[in-house]
Structures are given as structure tokens and as C-alpha cells.
């Protein structure tokens, strides 16, 4: 069975340390995943992959502090993935010995963010190990560090494709940090300690601005600036910042958030898909009347639009299909309507699954639940990655028409404008007033053609203009 797991079985009784030299060293086998069994049993806590598209994560907050005892299954850190904030639990019992990545900082998936010690006695060793790791930035220093580790570790080949590490095993977990423990010591990030050494700053005089007063790099720089100013007798004058009315500092680059990075990658991927657009005008008088009638029962306009779209997709499964490899396409078995929701610093698309089969009242309750979770960044991956057709509605902002960019892996997205009174000519030649909205569908032209979208939009218009089936 080992080939099914793509791993080799680890002997239940490891070889004697006297025969250690006969084992394969990871430097000679770069493709092998290795576990290092050390005398100290210090484990590495790594950045987990919380979704299939996540390449890096951001530490939102540490639930635990350095020195805190951890239990298996206990939440220790909150990580921001490309779409949501998620609690991460520890896989082992032990003590959070050293935090490598501070709150607000990002790290690639699989990289170390903290160290976990098995006992309190090993915390000091883990802290020393973290300091050495942060200090060995040059290739030469890293090589010496690895050579030193070679004399202390026992290597067991376990799998493929994971870089070598100096600690035993990789664990999911992490924490928060107090600035001091009864005044006995100052807790600072590894980089802050290195910076303090380079600048000659006494950490005991630095005021920590990190979690629970932990000293971070900017605190060391501030202390160094104060020291220079005190020595020269000159006051410390900060450079004036130009701030807009929205509280945004002008003239300075702003790095992407984790979510913005994900959106950027998706949009670049979308450019590789040949798309086309078809617009349609739909009269909404009957839908507006239905909404006013059942709004008091908790029904939302978003749910009505999603339900209408889902019922139209039942009649046109090709518009609900998707092409992922450029060589074939799939008629999706479920109609899952993803709806774009604006968030601070990005957007997300919560998914109303099986929207064609769920009644309008349940669908509305589900939508409100999804929006609340999206705003709190608590959506689970299956709640935002399973959409088969997407709605983007800017009508509530008064936008009358716009085009939307096709999300990767889906066949079509529909942009919905505002419903507004419009002077129209009736079939009997008279002039009348009707509420109308503009919709524009962007579709993958490898799979969906103009006639397909035209037929779909005609069906959608019939459902919206005669919405009796929406409440069943």
C-alpha cells in the first residue's frame, strides 16, 4: 500500500544511532521528503494550505503566546488565506517555544512560522534555534548550519517533494507573544533581535507595539531614532504624510493583501480565456411586485435573481458548463450560483448551492448567512469555490450597465444593472412606462456560443417577467 500513499513505511523500531551513517542524507536526495528525529524533539509549525489556490498566508492573530502549553486540536493561530480567515489547530501536545512570523506578516505555504517544544526545558533551545535561523541569511551560513545539524539528526526517508528542515516534523499551530514575563525577559521577534544587535539598541528600553507588547522591528527602529535624537539634542521630526479624505496615505505604494493577490492571479488567468459578451434588456415590473409582496418574509432580491437564473440554466445546461483544460468541457451536475460580494480590500463569491432546487425562502436565509460569514471572513472553501455560474450585481449602486470578468473554471458570469423606470413603446404602438434592467453576460467562447446565450437570456427574461414559479 505504500505506493498508493506515495510514501515508504517508517520502521517501527528506528535503526541504531551507531549505524546512522548508512542512512540516506537529504542533501544527496533532493526529491525525498525527510523527517528529522532529534534528541530535543522540537517540531516546526508551518504555514498550512487552507485552499487549493493558496500560495501564501498572512498571520492575522496569535491565539497563544510564546511559552504557552498547547494541546492537540487546540486553536493557536488565525491565518488569512486568499479568501477567508481560519483558525489553525495544533497537531501535537507541547509548548509554543518560538514564533518566527509575527502578526500582520505573510509567509509561503509550507514555510516555518513557529517552533513547538515537547517540554518546558526545551523552550530555550528552540528560541536559540530560531535566532540562528533568522541570522543565517547567507548561503554560506545556511550551509554551515546544515552541517552542524548533520551531526545531531537521524534521517528517515518518508515522502517526496518537501524541502529539508532542521527540525523533526511539520505541525500546524502557532500563537501570541507577551512582551515580558514578570520583567525577567523581553520577548521580541527574531528579526527585531537581530536588528537591535546591528543598531546597538537595548531591547529593554524599546516599547513593544506587537501582540501583548511584543517588540517588533519598527519598535527597534523607533528606539534607535530616539537614541540618536537624544544624543544630538535635536527633536525627532517625523516626515509629514499626505492622507486622503478616506484615510489612505497618498503617494506611497500599498502592497496587495492576501485576497488581492488571489484576485490578481485569477484575473490574469482569465485573460487566457477567449470570451464574448451579450446584453439583454429585461422588464422587471412583475419581479418588483413579487419582491414587495414577500420581502417581509425575509426574501432578498439577490435570492430572487439567483433563483431566476438557476431555473433558466436548467433549460440551458451548456451555459452552466465549464472548460478547465482547453480540450474538453463538463456539463456540471449541480447549478451553484456564485454571487460577488464586495469586501474591504477585495471581493469574494459565496455560493448558493443547488439554487434551482431550494425554495426561495430557504435560499434567502442561506444567502444572509453566507454574507455574514463572508464579512467576518469565516467562509469555508466549499462555500466560495464551488460556483458553476456567477452573478455580479451593481444595480444597488445605481449602475445601469457594466461588463464582468469571467472567473477561471466557469462558463459564464452575468452583470446585473439597476432596474429603473424607462419610457418604452408597447406592442400596440402606444408609449408606456416600465421598470427595466440591463444584463450583460460574459461567456467562454470555447464552449458557449452566441445563440446559446441568446436563448438563455430569452428564458431568463420570461421567468423574471412572469415570476410565478419562483415561489414554488
Amino acid at each position: 500500500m505504500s505506493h498508493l500513499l506515495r510514501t515508504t513505511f517508517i520502521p517501527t523500531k528506528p535503526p541504531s544511532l551507531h549505524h546512522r551513517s548508512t542512512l540516506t542524507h537529504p542533501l544527496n536526495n533532493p526529491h525525498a521528503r525527510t523527517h528529522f528525529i532529534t534528541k530535543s524533539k522540537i517540531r516546526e509549525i508551518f504555514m498550512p494550505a487552507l485552499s487549493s489556490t493558496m500560495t501564501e498566508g498572512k498571520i492575522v492573530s496569535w491565539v497563544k503566546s510564546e511559552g504557552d502549553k498547547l494541546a492537540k486540536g487546540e486553536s493557536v493561530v488565525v491565518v488569512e488565506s486568499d479568501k477567508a480567515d481560519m483558525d489553525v489547530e495544533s497537531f501535537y501536545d507541547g509548548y509554543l517555544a518560538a514564533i518566527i512570523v509575527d502578526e500582520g506578516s505573510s509567509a509561503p505555504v509550507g514555510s516555518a512560522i513557529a517552533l513547538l517544544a515537547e517540554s518546558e526545558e526545551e523552550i530555550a533551545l528552540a528560541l536559540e534555534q530560531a535566532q540562528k535561523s533568522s541570522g543565517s541569511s547567507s548561503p554560506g551560513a545556511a550551509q554551515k548550519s546544515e552541517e552542524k545539524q548533520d551531526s545531531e539528526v537521524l534521517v528517515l526517508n518518508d515522502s517526496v517533494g518537501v524541502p529539508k528542515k532542521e527540525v523533526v516534523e511539520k505541525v500546524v499551530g502557532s500563537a501570541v507573544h507577551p512582551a515580558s514575563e514578570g520583567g525577567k525577559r523581553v520577548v521580541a521577534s527574531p528579526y527585531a533581535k537581530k536588528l537591535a544587535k546591528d543598531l546597538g539598541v537595548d531591547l529593554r528600553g524599546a516599547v513593544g507595539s506587537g501582540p501583548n507588547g511584543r517588540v517588533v522591528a519598527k519598535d527597534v527602529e523607533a528606539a534607535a531614532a530616539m537614541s540618536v535624537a537624544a544624543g544630538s539634542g535635536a527633536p525627532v521630526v517625523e516626515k509629514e504624510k499626505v492622507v486622503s479624505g478616506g484615510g489612505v496615505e497618498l503617494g506611497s505604494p500599498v502592497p496587495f493583501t492576501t485576497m488581492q493577490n488571489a484576485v490578481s492571479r485569477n484575473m490574469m488567468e482569465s485573460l487566457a480565456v477567449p470570451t464574448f459578451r451579450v446584453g439583454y434588456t429585461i422588464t422587471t415590473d412583475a419581479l418588483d411586485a413579487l419582491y414587495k409582496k414577500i420581502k417581509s418574509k425575509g426574501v432578498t432580491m439577490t435570492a430572487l435573481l439567483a433563483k431566476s437564473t438557476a431555473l433558466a440554466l436548467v433549460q440551458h445546461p451548456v451555459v452552466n458548463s465549464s472548460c478547465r483544460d482547453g480540450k474538453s468541457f463538463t456539463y456540471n451536475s449541480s447549478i451553484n450560483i456564485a454571487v460577488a460580494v464586495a469586501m474591504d480590500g477585495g471581493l469574494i463569491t459565496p455560493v448558493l448551492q443547488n439554487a434551482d432546487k431550494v425554495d426561495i425562502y430557504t435560499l434567502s436565509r442561506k444567502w444572509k448567512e453566507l454574507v455574514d460569514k463572508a464579512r467576518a471572513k469565516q467562509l469555508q472553501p466549499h462555500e466560495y469555490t464551488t460556483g458553476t455560474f456567477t452573478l455580479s450585481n451593481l444595480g444597488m449602486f445605481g449602475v445601469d450597465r457594466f461588463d464582468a470578468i469571467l472567473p477561471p473554471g466557469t462558463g459564464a458570469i452575468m452583470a446585473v444593472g439597476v432596474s429603473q423606470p424607462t419610457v418604452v413603446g408597447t406592442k400596440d404602438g402606444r408609449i408606456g412606462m416600465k421598470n427595466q434592467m440591463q444584463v450583460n453576460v460574459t461567456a467562454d467562447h470555447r464552449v458557449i456560443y452566441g445563440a446559446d446565450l441568446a436563448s438563455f437570456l430569452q428564458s431568463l427574461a420570461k421567468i423574471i417577467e412572469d415570476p410565478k414559479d419562483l415561489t414554488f
Side-chain angles (χ1 to χ4, degrees), residues 191-192 195-196 199 201 203 206-207 215-229 236:
Y191 179 65
L195 190 62
L199 298 178
V201 173
L203 287 174
V207 179
V215 177
V216 295
K218 65 179 181 180
D219 303 325
V220 176
E221 293 171 349
M226 291 295 293
S227 178
V228 171
V236 178

Side-chain angles (χ1 to χ4, degrees), residues 125-282:
L125 180 61
L127 287 170
E128 181 182 353
Q129 187 169 290
Q131 290 172 358
K132 288 180 180 179
S133 177
S134 63
S136 57
S137 56
S138 66
Q143 184 176 358
K144 289 180 182 179
S145 176
E146 289 173 359
E147 290 174 354
K148 182 176 181 181
Q149 294 159 15
D150 291 345
S151 63
E152 301 175 352
V153 300
L154 174 65
V155 183
L156 294 178
N157 185 14
D158 181 50
S159 187
V160 178
V162 176
K164 55 186 177 294
K165 295 291 180 182
E166 62 179 290
V167 291
V168 187
E169 295 168 311
K170 294 189 173 182
V171 183
V172 178
S174 338
V176 190
H177 359 271
S180 63
E181 294 180 357
K184 295 180 181 178
R185 65 185 180 94
V186 175
V187 177
S189 69
Y191 179 65
K193 293 177 182 178
K194 181 179 183 300
L195 190 62
K197 183 177 180 181
D198 294 341
L199 298 178
V201 173
D202 186 352
L203 287 174
R204 290 173 295 181
V207 179
S209 62
N212 293 335
R214 191 183 198 213
V215 177
V216 295
K218 65 179 181 180
D219 303 325
V220 176
E221 293 171 349
M226 291 295 293
S227 178
V228 171
S232 62
V236 178
V237 180
E238 291 188 2
K239 182 179 178 181
E240 184 178 354
K241 298 179 180 179
V242 182
V243 180
S244 71
V248 178
E249 185 178 343
L250 304 179
S252 299
V254 179
F256 278 171
T257 63
T258 306
M259 178 177 290
Q260 288 171 326
N261 272 320
V263 171
S264 176
R265 287 193 304 270
N266 286 340
M267 296 304 96
M268 294 301 295
E269 186 178 341
S270 293
L271 293 178
V273 178
T275 59
F276 74 108
R277 296 164 179 82
V278 174
Y280 206 90
T281 301
I282 302 176

Side-chain angles (χ1 to χ4, degrees), residues 12 101 130 137 197 210 267 408 446 449:
T12 55
V101 181
S137 56
K197 183 177 180 181
M267 296 304 96
R446 297 172 300 178
Y449 306 120

Side-chain angles (χ1 to χ4, degrees), residues 73-88:
E74 186 176 11
S75 295
V76 288
V77 66
V78 179
V79 172
E80 178 187 58
S81 69
D82 50 3
K83 296 292 183 182
D85 293 352
M86 300 182 70
D87 287 325
V88 178

